Amino acid sequence: MRYSTQVKPISYLKANAAEVLANLAEQREPLVITQNGEAKAVLQDVASYESTQETLALLKILAIGNEEVAAGKLKPAKDVLKRLKSKVVDA
């Protein structure tokens, strides 16, 4: 994705807010907003934002898992499965 095609000054956003929001929802590409020639903010549609947050959460879980493996915090799979099966039966 090329962000260079998705860069607009804040004045454009102010003058075309409804159109910008419609384009964000349709194209699902972020829009970089500049102020005085500098990038200041990134706008994106809600669905893309939620997807990004879910992806970050999954990556965080993976990173925590990797840290636990590196620290030797491991349990045999058969023990984990046994515990899970007992919880399902109890429920």
Side-chain angles (χ1 to χ4, degrees):
M1 172 186 320
R2 293 201 170 264
Y3 290 116
S4 60
T5 61
Q6 292 294 106
V7 178
K8 298 288 182 192
I10 196 165
S11 58
Y12 180 85
L13 176 62
K14 289 177 183 178
N16 301 286
E19 178 186 339
V20 167
L21 293 177
N23 287 340
L24 287 173
E26 182 181 315
Q27 296 173 5
R28 296 200 63 183
E29 290 185 4
L31 179 64
V32 178
I33 301 299
T34 62
Q35 187 175 34
N36 299 324
E38 291 184 39
K40 293 292 183 175
V42 177
L43 294 178
Q44 69 182 140
D45 65 288
V46 173
S48 295
Y49 176 78
E50 288 173 342
S51 177
T52 299
Q53 294 304 305
E54 289 171 3
T55 301
L56 289 173
L58 290 172
L59 289 171
K60 187 172 184 175
I61 290 168
L62 287 173
I64 290 169
N66 284 339
E67 289 172 3
E68 289 180 353
V69 168
K73 296 180 180 177
L74 303 171
K75 294 181 182 177
K78 68 177 185 173
D79 293 348
V80 173
L81 291 173
K82 184 177 175 181
R83 192 179 88 208
L84 289 174
K85 285 180 184 177
S86 72
K87 288 187 178 197
V88 170
V89 171
D90 293 342

